[in-house]
Amino acid sequence: MSGPVRMELSPPPSGLETEYKTLFTTECLLLLHELISTFDEEVDQVLRLRVSRKAHLDLSGDLPNFLESTAHIRRDPAWRVLPVPPRLQRRHVDIGDLAPCDTQRFIKALQSPAQGIQVDFDDGNCPTYYNQVKGIYNVFKAVHNHFPSVPHISRAPVLMLRPRAWNIVEHNLMVEGKEAPGPLFDFGLLMFHCGKTLFENKSGPFFYLSKVESFMEARLWNNIFVWTQHKLGLPLGSIKATVLIENVLAAFEMEEILYELREHSAGLNCGIWDYSASFVNKFGHRQAFLLPDRSKYVNMEKRFLRSYMDLLVQTCHRRGALATGGMAALLLPQEPISDSHRTVLATVTRLKLLEINAGVDGFMVYDLSLIKPMQKLFKLHTEGDNQLHQLRNDVTVTPDDLLSMPSGGVTLYGLKYNIAVGVLFINAWLSAKGHFFYRGQVEDSATAEISRSQVWQWIRHQTKLEDDSRMVSRWLVTDLTKKVMMELMVHCHSVRAKQRLQTAADMFLEVVLKRDFPEFITTYLNQDHTFLSSQSTEQVDAVDTDMPLSKL
């Protein structure tokens, strides 16, 4: 490659000068430049494809179906994904939502008995420049055994690295005059600094891929994997990735997604809240797709979610791929002999047993205290490392099954709960945090997505409350937001915290009252002036690296 390399990288976030210098070496910047330049146009294409598919569904009134054009892939019984390496054969319990910029929690997770750690730059992470640099540097330290009192990377829980999703851009890196796609920034840095070492220690590189909507997006990721392995001198198939099926359209393309990634697949994952929110995203303006109160009527036992989980397990196991379930968000109370502790453990056990009986090979927990009880559950109810032998031939899932909305209405409690979660999530982002705790469980961008989606949809359809037949309207939501704020304000111990919470409430109302549904709350926030200016890192003039290769 000749000529100048045009990149602009912001100076280091305050306090991370050493980390920045370690990560952004000349060789790494060259790889990032080449990776992003090579795939930038394809990233734009998959994002445009999303827009065009949504427009087609809106204009035609059609519903998604299994694709005719790829029927030959589904009908061919012969193909399989490549087997995963030994360290991925047993995926019983991963720690979920772990933002690696949280050094203490990351170290505790590395010392835990979990099978894996979802090293999360997406749902549970707030993507400030500081958090990205700190988080990637912490992964670098873990992989190169720089943390004292942590097991060697070959024995520690496997790192399942989750880059940001396609909808997020990295504001601090410009390549050829354009902001870099967030996932390529994360993936490029992680692969350059950790890929080879993980591979040599038979412990990766392993990834989670978020928000994939179609097999075309899986194909793009596969091309990125092939290119990167070639560049770094790794054998084809070294990278393994679990795709999170978080979108209703992707549920109709699970076989095709596995097929595209068949040399690099670590299976598929099903979760509840991003997936449920995608119904509002794609069909929220249609009355037939009114999603009832999630706190009362939406759980994995409902037909549309149960069918999706059954289909995912059946599809994966038929093709030799692992199927994993979502994250238990409940937190165990501190007192181990209390009633509340027993109640929470019983609730998590019941829900996770449902997934185990459906044939999943593993799932996630947030609370580290849940690791051992959940591993015990697998030991009691399954045999061997995984449930690949559970082919689920008893299952036949139709488009109707996947698209049947649960019956039920809206409660005042559910509306207030959704408002609180939405406001508190925005407040967390304005505080540079990607998740927070509320009423005994962890909340992140997935629960924020479903919360604000439901409020938008209930206003849009002027839904009546079950409690007193009041209509969900702009006036009612604004009034309830004020009431919720009064309850939340008592936990703010400074003027600044109160102002930030008020700003979060204003922004929440802005999102739920928009005429057109903002596709992702994270995109909305990541582009918002209030969030960007809240990062308060000293932004000096960006370092201009528009210079010949030898001087980069």
Side-chain angles (χ1 to χ4, degrees):
M1 188 173 67
S2 58
V5 172
R6 293 186 179 86
M7 291 178 85
E8 293 171 72
L9 179 67
S10 298
S14 183
L16 294 183
E17 290 76 13
T18 306
E19 292 84 341
Y20 179 96
K21 209 172 163 186
T22 306
L23 295 179
F24 296 108
T25 60
T26 302
E27 293 78 12
C28 180
L29 285 169
L30 286 174
L31 179 93
L32 269 182
H33 179 273
E34 204 179 339
L35 172 71
I36 291 162
S37 311
T38 303
F39 292 103
D40 195 70
E41 188 50 46
E42 285 182 61
V43 172
D44 282 348
Q45 280 171 8
V46 298
L47 291 171
R48 286 188 200 114
L49 187 63
R50 285 182 180 183
V51 174
S52 97
R53 285 181 91 190
K54 170 88 169 87
H56 168 76
L57 289 166
D58 287 350
L59 289 166
S60 64
D62 288 351
L63 290 172
N65 205 331
F66 298 105
L67 303 176
E68 204 41 59
S69 58
T70 54
H72 60 285
I73 292 170
R74 296 194 302 280
R75 287 189 196 124
D76 177 359
W79 66 268
R80 295 282 182 279
V81 305
L82 284 184
V84 290
R87 292 213 73 201
L88 277 189
Q89 291 283 340
R90 190 184 186 91
R91 290 283 302 280
H92 289 172
V93 181
D94 280 2
I95 298 164
D97 259 12
L98 198 144
C101 58
D102 182 345
T103 309
Q104 290 317 109
R105 182 166 161 80
F106 189 39
I107 288 171
K108 279 184 185 158
L110 288 163
Q111 294 167 334
S112 80
Q115 269 78 33
I117 301 169
Q118 182 192 60
V119 181
D120 194 5
F121 293 94
D122 194 50
D123 277 11
N125 174 63
C126 177
T128 63
Y129 194 29
Y130 185 96
N131 287 350
Q132 295 310 109
V133 172
K134 180 79 173 167
I136 292 166
Y137 182 74
N138 276 345
V139 175
F140 170 85
K141 283 180 76 174
V143 169
H144 295 91
N145 304 302
H146 293 173
F147 284 124
S149 72
V150 160
H152 188 272
I153 194 64
S154 60
R155 295 187 305 278
V158 291
L159 304 181
M160 303 296 299
L161 308 166
R162 173 152 83 155
R164 286 170 283 181
W166 289 125
N167 56 299
I168 300 289
V169 295
E170 175 50 65
H171 301 297
N172 295 286
L173 178 66
M174 303 281 285
V175 175
E176 303 294 331
K178 284 171 72 180
E179 288 180 321
L184 292 186
F185 176 89
D186 302 342
F187 175 79
L189 280 163
L190 290 164
M191 280 302 295
F192 181 84
H193 289 290
C194 306
K196 211 158 202 170
T197 308
L198 284 167
F199 181 71
E200 284 162 0
N201 285 284
K202 299 183 170 57
S203 299
F206 305 140
F207 289 89
Y208 269 116
L209 304 178
S210 294
K211 318 280 188 289
V212 170
E213 290 195 15
S214 73
F215 75 88
M216 294 300 288
E217 296 182 23
R219 180 178 295 174
L220 169 57
W221 270 117
N222 197 68
N223 292 342
I224 290 165
F225 293 165
V226 171
W227 183 93
T228 309
Q229 287 164 150
H230 175 69
K231 282 281 160 196
L232 297 177
L234 289 168
L236 187 73
S238 306
I239 295 171
K240 297 292 179 193
T242 301
V243 175
L244 294 113
I245 303 295
E246 299 173 293
N247 189 283
V248 56
L249 301 185
F252 287 89
E253 300 182 28
M254 290 196 262
E255 293 220 47
E256 293 88 335
I257 287 167
L258 283 178
Y259 182 79
E260 292 295 338
L261 284 159
R262 59 195 180 280
E263 291 165 326
H264 298 107
S265 179
L268 304 177
N269 173 279
C270 60
I272 183 169
W273 296 130
D274 269 317
Y275 184 75
S276 297
S278 77
F279 280 76
V280 184
N281 187 331
K282 300 303 178 195
F283 320 116
H285 55 291
R286 305 187 197 189
Q287 185 74 44
F289 283 91
L290 189 74
L291 194 64
D293 193 331
R294 74 179 178 108
S295 59
K296 188 173 177 183
Y297 297 112
V298 182
N299 57 54
M300 285 313 272
E301 288 159 298
K302 296 297 182 229
R303 180 181 162 200
F304 82 117
L305 291 171
R306 181 69 208 226
S307 303
Y308 144 73
M309 178 167 63
D310 285 344
L311 180 63
L312 186 139
V313 171
Q314 182 191 55
T315 303
C316 284
H317 290 179
R318 182 195 295 152
R319 302 303 182 180
L322 295 171
T324 49
M327 187 180 76
L330 284 169
L331 307 169
L332 276 177
Q334 296 289 301
E335 289 297 316
I337 49 171
S338 64
D339 284 348
S340 55
H341 187 281
R342 278 192 289 274
T343 305
V344 169
L345 189 56
T347 304
V348 175
T349 301
R350 188 180 72 78
L351 292 170
K352 288 303 168 192
L353 204 48
L354 186 84
E355 293 182 23
I356 289 173
N357 290 334
V360 302
D361 301 293
F363 46 66
M364 286 175 271
V365 298
Y366 180 83
D367 190 333
L368 274 57
S369 314
L370 282 168
I371 297 167
K372 283 187 173 169
M374 292 304 109
Q375 286 174 330
K376 196 173 165 190
L377 213 55
F378 271 99
K379 206 169 181 181
L380 285 170
H381 296 277
T382 68
E383 286 173 24
D385 287 345
N386 53 56
Q387 300 203 76
L388 279 171
H389 56 282
Q390 298 281 6
L391 296 177
R392 294 306 311 272
N393 293 326
D394 56 310
V395 169
T396 308
V397 174
T398 65
D400 272 357
D401 292 325
L402 292 171
L403 297 171
S404 68
M405 289 293 91
S407 55
V410 179
T411 67
L412 182 61
Y413 172 86
L415 180 54
K416 285 176 75 176
Y417 188 85
N418 279 344
I419 290 169
V421 169
V423 170
L424 287 169
F425 177 73
I426 297 171
N427 184 64
W429 262 52
L430 295 177
S431 319
K433 291 184 171 62
H435 59 276
F436 61 96
F437 307 106
Y438 183 60
R439 298 198 176 170
Q441 59 184 37
V442 66
E443 307 277 357
D444 63 7
S445 78
T447 51
E449 274 303 359
I450 186 65
S451 297
R452 64 96 190 189
S453 298
Q454 290 210 302
V455 178
W456 179 90
Q457 192 187 32
W458 296 340
I459 295 170
R460 177 79 172 71
H461 293 291
Q462 303 177 352
T463 318
K464 283 195 165 63
L465 291 178
E466 284 182 351
D467 311 64
D468 52 21
S469 296
R470 275 185 293 172
M471 193 171 74
V472 181
S473 62
R474 171 199 285 250
W475 176 84
L476 179 62
V477 169
T478 306
D479 188 52
L480 287 175
T481 303
K482 284 178 189 156
K483 287 179 178 158
V484 167
M485 287 295 289
M486 285 164 70
E487 293 166 24
L488 297 176
M489 275 292 181
V490 297
H491 303 292
C492 295
H493 302 301
S494 70
V495 174
R496 191 161 169 227
K498 285 180 177 166
Q499 287 170 339
R500 188 169 55 222
L501 190 65
Q502 188 56 58
T503 302
D506 294 342
M507 290 170 75
F508 174 77
L509 287 170
E510 228 174 78
V511 176
V512 298
L513 294 172
K514 281 195 178 299
R515 177 181 172 87
D516 294 313
F517 182 78
E519 192 172 18
F520 294 103
I521 193 168
T522 48
T523 309
Y524 174 82
L525 291 173
N526 195 47
Q527 305 289 4
D528 187 85
H529 171 72
T530 316
F531 169 64
L532 295 174
S533 58
S534 75
Q535 294 192 28
S536 67
T537 45
E538 298 93 281
Q539 290 296 340
V540 202
D541 291 330
V543 181
D544 188 352
T545 53
D546 181 358
M547 55 177 76
L549 284 185
S550 59
K551 295 218 184 122
L552 184 69

